Each structure stands twice: as structure tokens, then as C-alpha cells.
Amino acid sequence: MQVAVTRKDINFRPDASRVIARFLYTDAERAKNTIRSVVNMSENEAMLALNPVLRDYSLRHRNISRIFEKHFNRIVHLFKDLSIDTESLTSSKKILLGSYFTMEYSIESAAFFNPSVVEHPDQSETGPGEKRVILSFRATGEGHISSIVFRTGVLDANNNLTIEPVGKMLEEAEHIRRHVYDKESFKTKLDEMKDFHGIIPSGLVLDKLNDKFTYGELYHCIEEAKKSLHLASDKEILFSQIIWLASSHYELDFSLDTNISERVIFPVSANERNGIEDARFVKFEDDKKEVSYFATYTAYDGTTILPKMIETRDFYHFKVIPLHGEIAQNKGMALFPRKLNGKYVMLCRLDGFNNYIAFSDNISIWREAQLLQKPRFPWEFIQIGNCGSPIETDEGWLVITHGVGPMREYVLGASLFDLEDPTIEIGRLKSPLIMPNAEEREGYVPNVVYSCGSIIQNNDLIIPYAMSDYASTYATVNLGDLLTELKNSNR
């Protein structure tokens, strides 16, 4: 029996008008020329240049003058070379200078896809049968740089989604804080990366640091070591890799004045400068029944990927950490929503072909995994992977999967695993649950449907999914029908 799927008449499409104000820096010499030009302006000339900028862009960004001041502070180190005292500059010249080092970036001009959905922590003012939800998306703009953005909406008793008002003044985090590192655990992660990347770490830099150190202290040590050593190419690579790893820990704080639809988690660290890809959000309940939200995602620097994890309780404050361990080296990791038998559990894909499952005492360290599923049906012969975190039901752990078949067509499937021992597969759909239809198969990457996380509401499975790596929508499936089909699928 083919399980009935109800596609909903709602689309999330790229909107080129949604922009953030980014720091722009090309090279020191050009920057110094700009600084000289502004410094040599009279105060009247500076105001005449600044006023139209403030008038135009204050309509597009919240407190644009504060953004300009922030970007001015990122170039103050250049004034020493020019023998210019920054204290002598008027406020208007500082703000004007900041505007020359600012550009707008359209975060979702190219694509708005690969969504996940979780229950909103705020369920106030919802009626019977309603649930407020948060949807996350991979937004992609110029240069194919991906970031994480959000929408909120309310599912009614019939699981029709009403999107709540979307703010227009987008912002990156108001504060970014770097991590304080423990030397021994940092060395351990470098040793793990050695096996994967072929680099042999040494104590060349780390031995000079205290047991606890910051990113800035590490960076200073490396710069000093570079000056004092004639470096072979392998040492240059090692230094780059140390910095690459250290930059991956950070915390983000968004202004309380922002709507969640205005918060943009844009690449911060060097290892994600080419994108933050495919965040799989899940509502997680710990042993004390306290709730956090986690998301696993892939950081990409243009060459290498690094699986990372986001943690938040309120979607204002986010903590970002890399995932450690021998199996934390590939895309598509998805966390179970609670511990099993005292251990964290993660779905993963080690070889790009099969589904695996891993257990760990530490949520950020993943060392061993076992094979869970191999491709079985023609529509998944190329590969099988998860489409988000497992969902707990009375009948077992429900996992939405993706399969890749002929013509590299991506489809969605479903599997069911034992509640007590999720290494045991109870059943798997013999046919795809969702395939790209005529309206969904055209896009940036044709013939693809893909999801990063679903939920259950009003006895339906709610599946948000991307259409050909361009736009997104959602569908519902009767949970009872799906579970019945899965339980009977191996007979």
C-alpha cells in the first residue's frame, strides 16, 4: 500500500530583498587610501556624504550607525601606520569611515531550502489543537555561501500552517564570544584530525600555552612561531589546521529587539567561511527533563568539511562547538531527542553510502559507529541517509530517510527502529514516501526533495522539505497509516 501524502499549498522561496550589513575589507593599502580620503575631508563635507547614507540605509537596517561604528573599530589598527590619532576624529567621520567598510549581502537570493521543524519554546496564545513551531532553513546567497535562518508559524487543528509576521531588518549576532580551550582536549582533537587529514601535530606551539587558552592567545603564539622559524610546507599546513580548529568554537547572542525571522547565523569561523549547511534541529530532553535545542550541521571552508553542533534554549543565545571523534568526519549527523540507556545516540553516514548509528557518553565526542542500513531498493542504490533526527513513537523510532537513485533523483523514505534497541530495524518502506513531482523537480539541482527534520502533530507527521535545492514546502502524512505500513513492510 502506498501511504497517502498531503502536500500543503505553501511555498518558502528565496527573497533577494533580505539583506544583512557585512564588514567589507579587501586589502590594507586600499583601506589606507580610503582612510586618508575621509580624514582629509572637512566636517561639512563628511556630513554631506554621511547624511544620505544614513537616510537610505536606516530604512533597511536596525541602528545602521551602530553597525558602521562596529566596522570602524575593525580597522583602527591601520591608523597607527598612518600616524593618525583616532581620538582626533569626529563621530561623523568615524561613522562615515565605517560605511565605506560595509556592504549588503543578500542571504537568500539564490536558494531557501533544506528545512527542519521543532516545537517553539513559547506556546502562549495558541488554541486547542494548535502548536507554534520554528522552521530553520539553509539560506544561500551570492558565492553560494549558506547560513541558517528561521521562520515561525502556527499549525492549526488540521495541520495547516500560518506563518507569523516576518521581520525585514535582518541581523547577525550582536555579540560573538570565542571559546576558552583546554590544552589536553585540544591536543586530542588534533590527533584525531591527523588520521583524517594526514597532518602530524607537534608541541611546537601548544607547549608554549597555558593549560587554558583563548583563540587570541593561540593566534599570537602561532604568529610568533612563524617569525622565528623557517617553515617547511607541512608546518605551514599544521599551523593553518590549528587555527582552523580553534576558530570553530564560539557563542552568539542576538539582540532581544530582533524577531526570530531576523536572526541570521552567518559563517563566523574560518572552517565555515564557505557555508553552514543543512542544520538538523531537534528538541532534546535531558535526564532532568530539561529541554534544550540542538542542531548538527556541516561547516565547509571550500575544501574541508567539519561536523559541528549548535545548542540553544531560547533561540537568542547559541553555543557552537565542533564534533570530535573518528566518526565525526562526514555529513548528515542527526541526534536522537534523548539519551538511551545512559548514552547519547546519533545517526551518521561514515562512507557516503550507508546509514550508521553511534553511541557516546559525551555529546561532542563520537568514536565508534555500527552499520544500520544499506541501500536495498532501486531508488536508494546510490546512497541512503537520514533526513533529520529520529522521532519517538509508541511503535518505535521513526526515521525519515533520503535515497538517491537513477538520474541522481533524491526521494524521501521512512524506516522504523526498535525503541529500546534502535540498531534493530522493524521496517522500511518499499516505495518512496515523497518523490519530486512536476512542480518540484525544477530548480538549482533538479529532481531533489530533501528534509532536515520533521515532527508529529495531531496524529500526523509534519515533513518540511526542499524542492530541488531552491525553495521549500511541507507535507503531512497520517502517522497511524505510516506506522502500520512500516510494521508490515518486512512481512
Side-chain angles (χ1 to χ4, degrees):
M1 181 186 78
Q2 180 69 40
V3 178
V5 174
T6 303
R7 284 171 160 88
K8 296 294 186 174
D9 187 20
I10 184 170
N11 285 325
F12 301 90
R13 296 189 176 278
D15 181 353
S17 71
R18 296 179 60 77
V19 296
I20 56 175
R22 299 281 300 154
F23 178 67
L24 171 65
Y25 184 87
T26 51
D27 59 74
E29 196 54 43
R30 181 178 294 188
K32 290 176 184 177
N33 288 336
T34 304
I35 291 170
R36 290 189 192 97
S37 297
V38 173
V39 168
N40 290 332
M41 297 173 79
S42 68
E43 182 62 14
N44 185 57
E45 290 172 329
M47 288 303 300
L48 286 173
L50 178 60
N51 284 337
V53 177
L54 293 177
R55 183 177 63 246
D56 292 345
Y57 288 94
S58 62
L59 298 173
R60 296 168 65 86
H61 303 277
R62 185 181 291 103
N63 202 342
I64 189 64
S65 62
R66 179 182 59 80
I67 295 172
F68 291 159
E69 286 183 278
K70 183 179 177 181
H71 292 173
F72 168 80
N73 289 330
R74 295 183 64 173
I75 59 161
V76 292
H77 64 282
L78 298 173
F79 283 78
K80 184 177 180 181
D81 295 340
L82 297 171
S83 300
I84 298 174
D85 180 12
T86 57
E87 296 300 318
S88 66
L89 292 178
T90 62
S91 175
S92 57
K93 285 191 177 182
K94 290 179 181 178
I95 294 172
L96 179 59
L97 269 169
S99 73
Y100 282 103
F101 292 88
T102 303
M103 65 171 288
E104 286 191 330
Y105 182 84
S106 181
I107 60 167
E108 60 185 64
S109 57
F112 197 69
F113 63 126
N114 291 4
S116 72
V117 61
V118 290
E119 178 182 331
H120 199 299
D122 176 13
Q123 292 297 319
S124 62
E125 301 180 13
T126 54
E130 294 183 339
K131 179 175 287 186
R132 181 173 289 109
V133 295
I134 296 174
L135 295 109
S136 70
F137 296 86
R138 177 179 169 185
T140 302
E142 179 188 357
H144 207 74
I145 298 174
S146 298
S147 55
I148 300 171
V149 297
F150 305 98
R151 298 288 187 274
T152 59
V154 175
L155 289 163
D156 66 16
N158 296 314
N159 287 328
N160 294 311
L161 179 65
T162 300
I163 299 299
E164 295 181 318
V166 177
K168 280 293 186 180
M169 293 193 175
L170 281 65
E171 287 191 9
E172 294 182 83
E174 188 173 37
H175 301 291
I176 300 173
R177 294 191 300 278
R178 297 291 184 181
H179 186 67
V180 176
Y181 296 93
D182 175 80
K183 186 189 293 186
E184 289 307 312
S185 62
F186 194 82
K187 282 183 177 179
T188 299
K189 179 58 180 175
L190 282 174
D191 286 340
E192 294 166 1
M193 293 173 67
K194 167 194 67 178
D195 296 331
F196 188 64
H197 297 293
I199 304 300
I200 302 176
S202 73
L204 191 62
V205 173
L206 297 185
D207 288 348
K208 298 178 182 179
L209 292 164
N210 296 325
D211 290 340
K212 303 286 185 182
F213 61 89
T214 65
Y215 173 81
E217 290 167 339
L218 174 65
Y219 186 86
H220 177 74
C221 266
I222 286 179
E223 290 302 303
E224 290 300 311
K226 284 182 176 180
K227 292 177 183 177
S228 61
L229 294 171
H230 179 67
L231 296 178
S233 59
D234 64 329
K235 292 296 189 296
E236 283 280 10
I237 295 172
L238 170 61
F239 284 163
S240 296
Q241 193 157 341
I242 292 174
I243 286 293
W244 184 82
L245 174 61
S247 67
S248 65
H249 297 70
Y250 56 86
E251 295 183 46
L252 303 174
D253 287 309
F254 286 88
S255 169
L256 295 178
D257 293 333
T258 57
N259 182 275
I260 190 170
S261 63
E262 298 174 314
R263 298 170 211 155
V264 181
I265 301 180
F266 199 81
V268 168
S269 62
N271 53 61
E272 58 193 28
R273 63 177 175 265
N274 280 64
I276 294 173
E277 301 181 356
D278 303 344
R280 286 159 159 80
F281 275 87
V282 63
K283 180 182 177 182
F284 184 90
E285 188 174 276
D286 67 15
D287 296 336
K288 298 179 181 179
K289 303 299 182 182
E290 294 181 352
V291 171
S292 297
Y293 295 86
F294 289 96
T296 51
Y297 72 91
T298 304
Y300 180 55
D301 68 356
T303 303
T304 307
I305 63 168
L306 178 68
K308 298 177 74 172
M309 178 175 283
I310 298 171
E311 179 183 3
T312 184
R313 288 181 180 270
D314 55 12
F315 288 85
Y316 283 103
H317 173 76
F318 297 84
K319 182 179 180 181
V320 180
I321 61 172
L323 294 174
H324 299 190
E326 291 80 356
I327 69 167
Q329 308 290 356
N330 211 319
K331 293 184 175 184
M333 301 184 77
L335 184 69
F336 276 62
R338 64 175 174 85
K339 286 183 176 180
L340 293 179
N341 301 315
K343 291 184 178 292
Y344 297 99
V345 191
M346 186 86 79
L347 297 179
C348 52
R349 199 178 74 216
L350 304 186
D351 52 17
F353 181 66
N354 303 302
N355 262 336
Y356 290 79
I357 189 170
F359 300 85
S360 177
D361 295 320
N362 188 314
I363 198 170
S364 64
I365 300 175
W366 300 88
R367 298 197 176 281
E368 296 180 357
Q370 63 186 87
L371 182 64
L372 186 65
Q373 290 179 307
K374 293 181 178 181
R376 183 187 303 169
F377 305 111
W379 48 273
E380 58 189 18
F381 277 176
I382 297 294
Q383 73 181 51
I384 185 173
N386 72 73
C387 274
S389 293
I391 302 167
E392 187 169 6
T393 75
D394 292 340
E395 304 296 336
W397 292 104
L398 175 61
V399 176
I400 303 304
T401 62
H402 72 265
V404 184
M407 295 297 293
R408 199 179 173 271
E409 183 178 68
Y410 275 69
V411 300
L412 301 186
S415 299
L416 190 66
F417 298 89
D418 188 82
L419 274 181
E420 299 302 319
D421 184 359
T423 65
I424 299 173
E425 182 184 280
I426 296 172
R428 187 193 311 190
L429 292 185
K430 296 181 174 68
S431 301
L433 184 63
I434 299 177
M435 302 176 66
N437 63 21
E439 288 75 33
E440 297 166 348
R441 67 184 315 132
E442 309 296 347
Y444 183 71
V445 181
N447 308 311
V448 173
V449 289
Y450 194 85
S451 178
C452 286
S454 307
I455 60 169
I456 293 171
Q457 172 68 358
N458 297 322
N459 299 313
D460 280 346
L461 178 66
I462 313 298
I463 310 173
Y465 64 94
M467 302 177 289
S468 295
D469 282 10
Y470 174 70
S472 299
T473 186
Y474 84 104
T476 62
V477 176
N478 181 275
L479 181 64
D481 291 347
L482 177 59
L483 293 177
T484 298
E485 182 66 15
L486 285 167
K487 287 187 293 182
N488 294 331
S489 61
N490 283 343
R491 293 180 181 176

